[in-house]
Amino acid sequence: MIVVMNHGNNASSIQQVVDFVEKAGLKTQVSKGVERTVIGLIGDKTKVDRSVLESIPDVAEIIDVSKPYKRAAREMHPDDTVITLNNGLKIGGKNEPVVMAGPCTVENWEMLSEIAEAVKSAGAKVLRGGAWKPRTSPYAFQGLGEEGLKLLDKARAATGLPVVSELMDTKDIPLFLKYVDIIQIGARNMQNFSLLKELGKINKPILLKRGLSATIEEWLMSAEYILAGGNTNVLLCERGIRTMEKYTRNTLDLSAVPVIKKMSHLPIIIDPSHAVGHWDYVPAMSKAAIVAGADGLIIEVHSAPEKAACDGGQCLKPKLFSGLMQDIKALSKYR
Amino acid sequence: MIVVMNHGNNASSIQQVVDFVEKAGLKTQVSKGVERTVIGLIGDKTKVDRSVLESIPDVAEIIDVSKPYKRAAREMHPDDTVITLNNGLKIGGKNEPVVMAGPCTVENWEMLSEIAEAVKSAGAKVLRGGAWKPRTSPYAFQGLGEEGLKLLDKARAATGLPVVSELMDTKDIPLFLKYVDIIQIGARNMQNFSLLKELGKINKPILLKRGLSATIEEWLMSAEYILAGGNTNVLLCERGIRTMEKYTRNTLDLSAVPVIKKMSHLPIIIDPSHAVGHWDYVPAMSKAAIVAGADGLIIEVHSAPEKAACDGGQCLKPKLFSGLMQDIKALSKYR
Amino acid sequence: MIVVMNHGNNASSIQQVVDFVEKAGLKTQVSKGVERTVIGLIGDKTKVDRSVLESIPDVAEIIDVSKPYKRAAREMHPDDTVITLNNGLKIGGKNEPVVMAGPCTVENWEMLSEIAEAVKSAGAKVLRGGAWKPRTSPYAFQGLGEEGLKLLDKARAATGLPVVSELMDTKDIPLFLKYVDIIQIGARNMQNFSLLKELGKINKPILLKRGLSATIEEWLMSAEYILAGGNTNVLLCERGIRTMEKYTRNTLDLSAVPVIKKMSHLPIIIDPSHAVGHWDYVPAMSKAAIVAGADGLIIEVHSAPEKAACDGGQCLKPKLFSGLMQDIKALSKYR
Amino acid sequence: MIVVMNHGNNASSIQQVVDFVEKAGLKTQVSKGVERTVIGLIGDKTKVDRSVLESIPDVAEIIDVSKPYKRAAREMHPDDTVITLNNGLKIGGKNEPVVMAGPCTVENWEMLSEIAEAVKSAGAKVLRGGAWKPRTSPYAFQGLGEEGLKLLDKARAATGLPVVSELMDTKDIPLFLKYVDIIQIGARNMQNFSLLKELGKINKPILLKRGLSATIEEWLMSAEYILAGGNTNVLLCERGIRTMEKYTRNTLDLSAVPVIKKMSHLPIIIDPSHAVGHWDYVPAMSKAAIVAGADGLIIEVHSAPEKAACDGGQCLKPKLFSGLMQDIKALSKYR
């Protein structure tokens, strides 16, 4: 951590910073430059409150030169984390990219089983489907709830595919422990710290979506909450960020893939469906994600998008999905 | 709701839209323009799923011409909502703007009581203070929890000031019902829909902060969740949005004040402290908020910012706060 | 164009809209919905001023249902535009993706000729290099100017590679007509309308970079300026947009590729170097751009990045570039 | 300037940085922390190329601790700059806030003279009016050009009000020197560096609008271009930045006022009309701007907004403007 002093180099303010830092047990190194004095802090910075420093007169800026995440950082954990599901499927590291696919929302058994069979035969390895849906409007369909999880459980029994579904409330964790293989945390809950703390106490893999306007650093800090709690099974999921662009629902930040690969050891999954919001842009972005180095994809597929309970416009039909899976398979060697 | 068809005006696609809409019990009006055909929907649009329409071939765009919020809309509720606290203090409408002030975090009784007395004598009408703190890092101080609420309760007894504090978890609602006068929902939980639903079931005033990158429409939709549940005591709080600007922590969207006054009947409170993140910008923005028409302010005040447990850099000292309160009083007639 | 009236359906305001529109020679169609009345405009909307409509009482919103660009729109021009350079190289349509490569800035003949030979032997088809540089600071190196163009001209003579370089001022157009094969317009000048108008009067291919926070629609409108002037040789170039993310210089909006392919017939080139700002993220994003369907790439290559006059941190060394070119060649069949 | 090395503290990379910096004539100070080594640079940093440093192995980050602007910085120029127009009107410093008002676009003499008289009698001190208009669409009205400037000149003769109008092209500078008192540079040209350099060579006051998504630092760097060229008469103008919010055209960053007052000595003018884009939000934001400390306002006024050639929806009618001027006068003592 570095404290930058205002122009003028007021000696008493500099001394106040030094005293405060040294009282906390750290060492300081003062460098007087031509325009500004900077004070380097050496030692355990968690003992120093940044905002107290900010309130000392003449402090212009405080700069963190080390990353605020530790357990999520590749620096501290050079090897890729590989997540192993109950059925033995491995995600991350040198493993083949894993495609998770299924409907946005679980609607009924007939629909779910039809789609589950279709995505399985196309090569998907995990079935996705929402039971609780985060909807902007209180008047929109909110999902089947527990009934939805039971249908997913039934679909797993029928197809052998592990299932992923979104958790929105700490009180539902026991249900998710029982029925799903991967717990998804949606973009709107990325900084629901109460929820993240509870997820640190369990051992189930967590698919942590990036917040709508979260930086990669904040996203890794949210992963850090889960890791610090003791749950090391975290998958990151980029699903598009909010920008000025209106022709796509969000802007898929695909450069997050090489950035995460450099900064962290956690696997990264791309959700092209929510990122772009239109089915016809999904294949291009799916292929791009694979060659950019993603560890997997999560794609919405529906056999009758025009009847889907939500987000029909962004679903691929099984036939298109099946063709895309051929390309994905061929492209995985170019990661 | 209006459905815009792609150039080409394919007759079978137009018919498919018309059929789908009329089957749901609405009427349609088809207008063939020079370049595009648009289909107007007349009737209860909640019966029509937008995303299903999106998946019909040749549908280019679907446009909502009515606002998605109803209970939060001024159109449906022309009179200003006035919130009355337990001690009779009224917020909103023609009432004087209310200033809420206090430390970012409740640290101990000595500090809290000193600040509470200071803000009271300067003219603040509500005491603020965090007991649970949403921190980006799991390693940062997370607040005193229940002990913090008890200290706030004690401060209310000592000063007569109602208290506002942030709730982060549904399971803590009973404690907040017992100890606080206004429940604050932070920016990161603005779309924690599970939490919003629970807040609709109680009767305590809610201070709903705008999300980091939420549109005003999304913010009003979150208020709608609470209102739809039956709790009509919602105060909106603008606390800065995320932009490219780096000299301030966030960008205070002060134009949200006249926009909310036009679109909604709910009171709007401005939080200049979190918006700008530096104490020396707080007075200017506080005064600006008042003449822009805000119903109140929530300001961080600390008697020793350089010792504050968090966000010391954005706190006003009591003396500066007291001077600011004089200006605020003088300015309230220019709203 | 559709005019949406405020709730209340004030008859005199509706009449005022109808009168204004019909006086301009268009027809109207009035649809009274449950909550709002909408008025459709049929005819040549360029005869109606949108902002005048906005100022009529009770007008809530005006919605354009047709795209504001015409010449840039695929609707009006279904076939892909193919740009042919002087040496016969074709860009766009079914042609192989074209890689443009070279130093950020032309520094001297020795450096330029070394890099030009290197990128040529790796398979690049166009040589890039800046002669005038848009620098945030007036104190930074501003480029060699005309001397830089002459060196590019010499490099073309030596290697046979066509050259692309950035134009910043209308007064330099004659020089660019003489020395370069493609005129690049930088992100900061995307809405320099005086410059765009002049570019419409010449016939040289234009590489139009997307503005830092421009929407795709605004970008296509800037292309429209050039096309409307009579120059149909426009290449679009996505180079990253400004977002909250800080680990990359900008956020590469790769979904712009399928969006442009749908909305427009113009070729689209991706600049991964400026988008991400770090050389080690460039290969992943280059490969992703190709499979997403881009018509080409523009990549910074420098034989001694640690000595480059600017942007050394984002340059690939020739050896890494050469390896990347192998992948790009293999991937082009997956577009 | 501080160079932060990657974790690992590779000795040869550290030496490479030290050698490079010292060869440029600066001194270095190396601080080995627990996690990272940081290298402070002491001396004239303009001699060191940042991007070359970035390309040295193991360099993680380069941090500027001094501001990149010098002539625009208050640190270097503690006293407020006051701009004096030809008629003696002073803007900035302790002077009363100056209101500039008039139509978006100059349309004809009758309209212009009517509005000019109206804004003068309400208390405006400068007449605004566009002769060249930056329009997103090539098909929209582009302004009267030189004829517009002549009408402004005539209006100045009639009313005594100095005039401000937007310049879009270096070739028109002679006309602006002849006809206008303040040259406005629009948001889209804020980083048109060729234009900024030419403005540095003249002596006419420049109203430099902030770019659509420019940071305050970039804005001050654009001012620095003009100041470095020798023209010290720069007025900054905040006109709203691009955010996710859709209910206003842009988001007025009013906190830019206290930030600019702290960071710079240049006067700051607020343009509420373009920022919010709707006339009914303009009065609230105008009043807020004054108490936030702005040195002036630039407001669109039109006697018949429903007939305006552009942006009619954001114009105030003279009567409303006149009432607002009363409030502004009363509020200026609260700055």
Side-chain angles (χ1 to χ4, degrees):
Chain A
M1 198 182 268
I2 291 168
V3 179
V4 182
M5 305 301 292
N6 271 330
H7 193 70
N9 295 332
N10 184 295
S12 92
S13 301
I14 294 171
Q15 196 57 45
Q16 198 176 339
V17 171
V18 169
D19 290 349
F20 175 78
V21 171
E22 298 193 343
K23 197 176 292 175
L26 287 81
K27 289 184 188 163
T28 56
Q29 182 163 21
V30 178
S31 305
K32 284 185 197 293
V34 175
E35 286 182 22
R36 296 182 185 274
T37 293
V38 302
I39 304 165
L41 274 59
I42 302 166
D44 178 2
K45 278 137 320 185
T46 64
K47 293 184 179 157
V48 177
D49 196 296
R50 185 189 171 99
S51 58
V52 175
L53 282 172
E54 276 174 358
S55 71
I56 294 178
D58 296 314
V59 168
E61 211 178 341
I62 292 161
I63 299 167
D64 253 321
V65 296
S66 53
K67 298 290 178 220
Y69 42 89
K70 304 297 168 199
R71 288 172 175 84
R74 189 176 284 278
E75 277 186 350
M76 307 298 165
H77 187 310
D79 294 333
D80 288 329
T81 283
V82 174
I83 310 284
T84 307
L85 303 190
N86 279 338
N87 72 339
L89 181 72
K90 289 178 188 302
I91 309 176
K94 302 288 177 201
N95 296 290
E96 284 288 291
V98 166
V99 177
M100 313 180 186
C104 181
T105 307
V106 176
E107 294 162 54
N108 56 58
W109 173 244
E110 193 186 353
M111 173 281 283
L112 182 63
S113 62
E114 181 185 343
I115 299 173
E117 293 295 349
V119 301
K120 184 187 178 187
S121 70
K125 297 295 185 202
V126 177
L127 176 65
R128 64 147 292 152
W132 278 268
K133 300 299 302 174
R135 303 299 297 268
T136 307
S137 166
Y139 312 122
F141 176 54
Q142 308 275 322
L144 292 180
E146 183 173 355
E147 177 60 21
L149 292 188
K150 287 180 180 169
L151 292 176
L152 285 169
D153 192 38
K154 192 173 164 188
R156 180 184 32 219
T159 61
L161 294 180
V163 299
V164 54
S165 195
E166 179 170 350
L167 169 72
M168 289 174 63
D169 200 319
T170 52
K171 76 175 186 319
D172 298 322
I173 290 179
L175 288 174
F176 278 72
L177 288 176
K178 186 171 171 192
Y179 292 123
V180 314
D181 298 278
I182 303 175
I183 297 176
Q184 176 179 317
I185 299 302
R188 287 165 186 78
N189 278 319
M190 190 199 85
Q191 291 192 318
N192 179 341
F193 299 119
S194 294
L195 184 55
L196 297 179
K197 283 178 191 173
E198 294 302 315
L199 298 173
K201 297 175 186 166
I202 61 175
N203 206 26
K204 187 74 79 178
I206 308 297
L207 183 80
L208 179 67
K209 289 201 161 186
R210 182 179 180 182
L212 269 79
S213 69
T215 62
I216 291 176
E217 190 163 294
E218 290 168 336
W219 187 21
L220 287 173
M221 288 306 289
S222 288
E224 189 85 4
Y225 261 90
I226 303 171
L227 298 170
N231 184 351
T232 58
N233 295 306
V234 178
L235 298 141
L236 299 167
C237 180
E238 157 68 27
R239 42 74 75 203
I241 54 174
R242 181 162 279 188
T243 70
M244 77 298 294
E245 182 48 48
K246 291 168 194 153
Y247 281 176
T248 47
R249 183 181 300 172
N250 298 288
T251 296
L252 180 62
D253 178 9
L254 207 51
S255 51
V257 175
V259 172
I260 287 291
K261 288 291 165 197
K262 184 178 182 187
M263 299 295 178
S264 180
H265 51 88
L266 297 172
I268 178 165
I269 307 297
I270 297 294
D271 176 350
S273 307
H274 284 87
V276 298
H278 299 283
W279 66 269
D280 47 355
Y281 304 146
V282 170
M285 301 321 287
S286 298
K287 294 187 289 177
I290 294 299
V291 298
D295 297 298
L297 297 169
I298 181 163
I299 299 177
E300 292 200 2
V301 175
H302 201 292
S303 42
E306 69 282 2
K307 291 181 193 154
C310 80
D311 284 345
Q314 72 194 32
C315 293
L316 295 188
K317 290 193 182 181
K319 196 178 162 187
L320 183 54
F321 175 68
S322 183
L324 172 60
M325 287 298 290
Q326 300 307 313
D327 280 349
I328 288 171
K329 200 166 291 181
L331 289 168
S332 64
K333 68 168 181 255
Y334 293 100
R335 291 198 301 165
Chain B
M1 196 182 269
I2 291 168
V3 179
V4 182
M5 304 303 290
N6 272 330
H7 193 70
N9 296 332
N10 183 296
S12 92
S13 302
I14 293 170
Q15 196 56 46
Q16 199 175 339
V17 171
V18 168
D19 291 348
F20 175 78
V21 169
E22 298 193 342
K23 195 176 295 175
L26 288 80
K27 290 184 188 162
T28 56
Q29 182 163 22
V30 179
S31 305
K32 284 186 197 291
V34 175
E35 289 182 21
R36 295 182 185 274
T37 293
V38 302
I39 304 165
L41 275 57
I42 301 165
D44 178 2
K45 280 137 319 186
T46 63
K47 293 184 182 159
V48 176
D49 195 295
R50 183 190 174 102
S51 57
V52 175
L53 283 172
E54 277 174 358
S55 69
I56 293 177
D58 295 313
V59 169
E61 211 178 344
I62 293 161
I63 298 166
D64 253 321
V65 296
S66 54
K67 299 291 178 221
Y69 42 89
K70 303 296 168 198
R71 289 172 174 84
R74 188 175 285 279
E75 277 185 351
M76 306 298 165
H77 187 310
D79 295 332
D80 289 329
T81 283
V82 174
I83 310 283
T84 307
L85 302 189
N86 278 338
N87 73 339
L89 181 72
K90 288 177 190 301
I91 310 176
K94 301 289 177 201
N95 295 289
E96 284 288 291
V98 166
V99 178
M100 311 179 186
C104 180
T105 307
V106 177
E107 295 163 54
N108 56 59
W109 173 245
E110 193 186 354
M111 174 282 283
L112 182 64
S113 63
E114 181 185 341
I115 299 173
E117 293 294 348
V119 302
K120 184 188 179 185
S121 70
K125 297 296 185 205
V126 177
L127 176 65
R128 63 148 292 151
W132 278 268
K133 300 298 301 172
R135 303 300 296 266
T136 308
S137 167
Y139 311 122
F141 177 55
Q142 308 275 321
L144 292 181
E146 184 172 354
E147 176 60 22
L149 293 188
K150 287 180 179 167
L151 292 176
L152 284 170
D153 192 37
K154 192 172 164 188
R156 178 184 34 218
T159 60
L161 295 180
V163 299
V164 55
S165 196
E166 179 170 349
L167 169 72
M168 289 175 62
D169 200 319
T170 52
K171 77 175 186 317
D172 298 323
I173 289 179
L175 287 174
F176 278 73
L177 287 176
K178 186 170 171 192
Y179 292 124
V180 315
D181 299 276
I182 303 174
I183 296 175
Q184 176 179 317
I185 299 302
R188 287 165 187 78
N189 277 320
M190 190 199 86
Q191 291 191 319
N192 180 341
F193 300 118
S194 293
L195 184 55
L196 297 178
K197 284 178 189 172
E198 293 302 315
L199 298 173
K201 298 175 186 167
I202 61 176
N203 205 25
K204 185 75 77 176
I206 308 297
L207 184 80
L208 180 66
K209 289 200 162 187
R210 181 177 180 184
L212 269 79
S213 67
T215 62
I216 291 175
E217 190 164 294
E218 290 168 335
W219 187 21
L220 288 172
M221 288 306 289
S222 287
E224 188 85 3
Y225 260 92
I226 303 171
L227 298 170
N231 184 352
T232 58
N233 296 306
V234 178
L235 298 141
L236 300 168
C237 180
E238 157 68 27
R239 44 73 76 201
I241 54 174
R242 182 163 278 188
T243 69
M244 77 298 294
E245 182 48 47
K246 291 168 195 152
Y247 282 177
T248 47
R249 183 181 300 173
N250 297 289
T251 296
L252 180 62
D253 178 10
L254 208 51
S255 50
V257 175
V259 172
I260 287 291
K261 288 291 165 198
K262 183 177 182 187
M263 299 295 177
S264 181
H265 50 89
L266 297 172
I268 177 166
I269 307 296
I270 296 293
D271 176 349
S273 306
H274 284 86
V276 297
H278 299 283
W279 66 267
D280 47 355
Y281 304 145
V282 170
M285 301 320 288
S286 297
K287 294 187 290 178
I290 294 299
V291 299
D295 296 298
L297 298 169
I298 181 163
I299 298 177
E300 291 201 3
V301 175
H302 202 289
S303 43
E306 69 282 2
K307 291 183 193 152
C310 82
D311 284 345
Q314 72 194 32
C315 293
L316 295 188
K317 289 192 182 181
K319 197 177 162 187
L320 184 54
F321 175 68
S322 183
L324 173 61
M325 287 298 290
Q326 300 307 311
D327 280 349
I328 288 172
K329 200 166 290 180
L331 289 169
S332 63
K333 68 169 182 254
Y334 293 100
R335 291 197 301 164
Chain C
M1 197 182 270
I2 291 168
V3 179
V4 182
M5 305 301 290
N6 271 330
H7 194 70
N9 295 333
N10 184 295
S12 92
S13 301
I14 293 171
Q15 196 56 46
Q16 197 174 342
V17 171
V18 169
D19 290 349
F20 174 78
V21 171
E22 298 192 344
K23 195 176 294 175
L26 287 81
K27 291 183 187 163
T28 56
Q29 181 163 23
V30 179
S31 306
K32 283 186 198 291
V34 175
E35 289 182 20
R36 295 182 186 275
T37 293
V38 301
I39 304 165
L41 274 59
I42 300 165
D44 178 3
K45 279 140 315 188
T46 64
K47 291 183 182 159
V48 177
D49 196 297
R50 183 188 173 102
S51 58
V52 176
L53 282 172
E54 276 174 358
S55 70
I56 294 178
D58 296 312
V59 169
E61 212 176 343
I62 293 160
I63 298 167
D64 253 321
V65 297
S66 54
K67 300 290 177 220
Y69 42 89
K70 303 297 169 202
R71 288 172 176 84
R74 189 174 285 277
E75 278 186 349
M76 306 299 166
H77 187 309
D79 294 333
D80 289 329
T81 282
V82 174
I83 309 284
T84 306
L85 302 189
N86 278 337
N87 71 341
L89 181 71
K90 289 178 189 299
I91 309 176
K94 302 289 177 201
N95 294 289
E96 284 288 290
V98 166
V99 178
M100 311 180 185
C104 181
T105 308
V106 176
E107 296 163 53
N108 56 59
W109 173 244
E110 193 187 353
M111 175 280 284
L112 182 64
S113 64
E114 182 186 341
I115 299 174
E117 293 294 349
V119 302
K120 183 187 179 186
S121 70
K125 297 296 186 203
V126 177
L127 176 66
R128 63 148 291 152
W132 278 269
K133 300 300 301 174
R135 303 300 297 267
T136 308
S137 167
Y139 311 122
F141 176 57
Q142 309 274 321
L144 292 179
E146 183 172 355
E147 176 60 21
L149 293 188
K150 287 179 179 169
L151 292 176
L152 285 169
D153 193 37
K154 192 173 164 188
R156 177 183 36 217
T159 61
L161 294 179
V163 300
V164 55
S165 195
E166 179 169 349
L167 169 71
M168 292 174 61
D169 199 319
T170 51
K171 76 175 186 317
D172 298 321
I173 289 179
L175 288 174
F176 278 73
L177 288 176
K178 185 171 172 193
Y179 292 123
V180 314
D181 299 277
I182 304 175
I183 297 176
Q184 176 179 316
I185 300 302
R188 289 166 185 78
N189 277 320
M190 190 201 86
Q191 291 192 319
N192 180 341
F193 299 118
S194 293
L195 183 55
L196 298 178
K197 284 178 191 173
E198 294 302 316
L199 298 173
K201 297 175 186 165
I202 62 177
N203 205 26
K204 186 75 76 177
I206 308 296
L207 184 80
L208 179 66
K209 289 201 161 186
R210 181 178 180 183
L212 269 78
S213 67
T215 62
I216 291 175
E217 189 163 296
E218 289 168 336
W219 187 21
L220 288 172
M221 288 306 288
S222 287
E224 189 85 4
Y225 261 91
I226 302 171
L227 298 170
N231 184 349
T232 58
N233 296 305
V234 178
L235 298 141
L236 300 168
C237 180
E238 156 68 27
R239 44 74 74 200
I241 53 174
R242 181 161 278 188
T243 69
M244 77 298 295
E245 182 47 47
K246 291 168 195 153
Y247 282 175
T248 45
R249 183 181 299 172
N250 298 288
T251 296
L252 180 62
D253 179 9
L254 207 50
S255 50
V257 175
V259 172
I260 287 292
K261 288 291 164 196
K262 184 177 181 187
M263 299 295 178
S264 180
H265 50 89
L266 297 171
I268 176 165
I269 307 297
I270 296 293
D271 176 348
S273 307
H274 284 86
V276 297
H278 300 284
W279 66 268
D280 47 355
Y281 305 146
V282 169
M285 302 320 289
S286 297
K287 293 187 291 177
I290 294 300
V291 298
D295 296 298
L297 297 169
I298 181 164
I299 299 178
E300 293 200 1
V301 175
H302 202 289
S303 42
E306 68 283 1
K307 291 180 193 154
C310 82
D311 285 343
Q314 72 194 32
C315 293
L316 294 188
K317 289 192 182 180
K319 197 178 161 187
L320 183 54
F321 175 67
S322 183
L324 173 61
M325 288 298 290
Q326 300 307 311
D327 280 349
I328 288 171
K329 200 166 291 180
L331 288 169
S332 64
K333 68 169 180 253
Y334 294 100
R335 290 198 300 165
Chain D
M1 197 182 268
I2 290 168
V3 179
V4 183
M5 305 301 291
N6 272 329
H7 193 69
N9 295 332
N10 184 294
S12 92
S13 299
I14 293 171
Q15 196 57 45
Q16 199 176 340
V17 172
V18 168
D19 290 349
F20 175 78
V21 171
E22 298 193 343
K23 196 176 293 175
L26 288 80
K27 290 184 189 160
T28 56
Q29 182 164 21
V30 179
S31 305
K32 283 186 198 291
V34 175
E35 287 181 22
R36 295 182 185 275
T37 292
V38 302
I39 304 165
L41 275 58
I42 302 166
D44 178 2
K45 279 138 319 186
T46 63
K47 292 183 180 158
V48 177
D49 196 294
R50 184 190 172 100
S51 58
V52 175
L53 282 173
E54 277 173 359
S55 70
I56 294 178
D58 297 313
V59 169
E61 211 177 343
I62 293 161
I63 299 166
D64 254 320
V65 296
S66 54
K67 299 290 177 222
Y69 42 88
K70 304 297 167 196
R71 288 171 175 84
R74 189 175 284 278
E75 278 186 350
M76 306 297 163
H77 187 309
D79 295 333
D80 289 329
T81 284
V82 174
I83 310 283
T84 306
L85 302 189
N86 279 338
N87 72 338
L89 181 72
K90 289 178 189 300
I91 309 176
K94 302 289 177 201
N95 295 290
E96 283 288 290
V98 166
V99 178
M100 311 180 185
C104 181
T105 307
V106 176
E107 295 163 53
N108 56 58
W109 172 245
E110 192 186 353
M111 174 282 283
L112 182 63
S113 64
E114 181 185 341
I115 299 173
E117 293 294 349
V119 301
K120 183 188 179 184
S121 70
K125 298 294 185 203
V126 177
L127 175 66
R128 65 148 290 151
W132 278 268
K133 299 300 301 173
R135 302 301 297 267
T136 307
S137 168
Y139 311 121
F141 176 55
Q142 309 274 322
L144 292 181
E146 183 172 355
E147 176 60 22
L149 293 188
K150 287 179 179 168
L151 291 176
L152 285 170
D153 192 38
K154 192 172 164 188
R156 179 183 35 219
T159 62
L161 294 180
V163 299
V164 55
S165 195
E166 179 170 349
L167 169 72
M168 289 175 62
D169 199 318
T170 51
K171 76 175 187 316
D172 297 322
I173 289 179
L175 287 175
F176 279 72
L177 288 175
K178 185 171 172 192
Y179 293 124
V180 315
D181 299 276
I182 303 175
I183 297 176
Q184 176 179 317
I185 299 302
R188 287 165 188 78
N189 277 321
M190 190 200 86
Q191 291 193 318
N192 180 341
F193 300 119
S194 293
L195 184 55
L196 297 179
K197 283 178 190 173
E198 294 302 315
L199 298 173
K201 298 174 185 166
I202 61 176
N203 205 26
K204 187 75 76 175
I206 308 297
L207 184 81
L208 180 66
K209 289 202 162 186
R210 183 179 179 181
L212 269 78
S213 68
T215 62
I216 291 175
E217 190 163 295
E218 290 169 335
W219 188 20
L220 288 173
M221 287 306 289
S222 287
E224 189 84 5
Y225 261 91
I226 303 171
L227 297 171
N231 184 352
T232 59
N233 296 306
V234 178
L235 299 141
L236 300 167
C237 180
E238 157 68 28
R239 42 76 75 202
I241 54 175
R242 181 163 279 188
T243 69
M244 77 296 297
E245 182 48 47
K246 291 169 195 152
Y247 282 176
T248 46
R249 182 181 300 173
N250 297 289
T251 296
L252 180 62
D253 179 10
L254 208 51
S255 50
V257 176
V259 171
I260 287 292
K261 287 291 166 197
K262 183 177 181 187
M263 299 295 177
S264 181
H265 51 89
L266 298 171
I268 177 165
I269 308 297
I270 296 293
D271 176 348
S273 307
H274 284 86
V276 298
H278 299 284
W279 67 268
D280 45 357
Y281 304 145
V282 170
M285 301 321 288
S286 297
K287 294 187 290 176
I290 294 300
V291 298
D295 296 299
L297 298 169
I298 181 163
I299 299 177
E300 292 201 1
V301 175
H302 202 291
S303 43
E306 70 282 1
K307 290 181 194 154
C310 82
D311 284 344
Q314 71 194 31
C315 293
L316 296 187
K317 289 193 181 179
K319 196 178 164 188
L320 184 54
F321 176 67
S322 184
L324 172 61
M325 287 298 289
Q326 300 307 311
D327 279 349
I328 287 172
K329 199 166 291 181
L331 287 169
S332 64
K333 69 169 181 253
Y334 293 99
R335 291 196 301 164

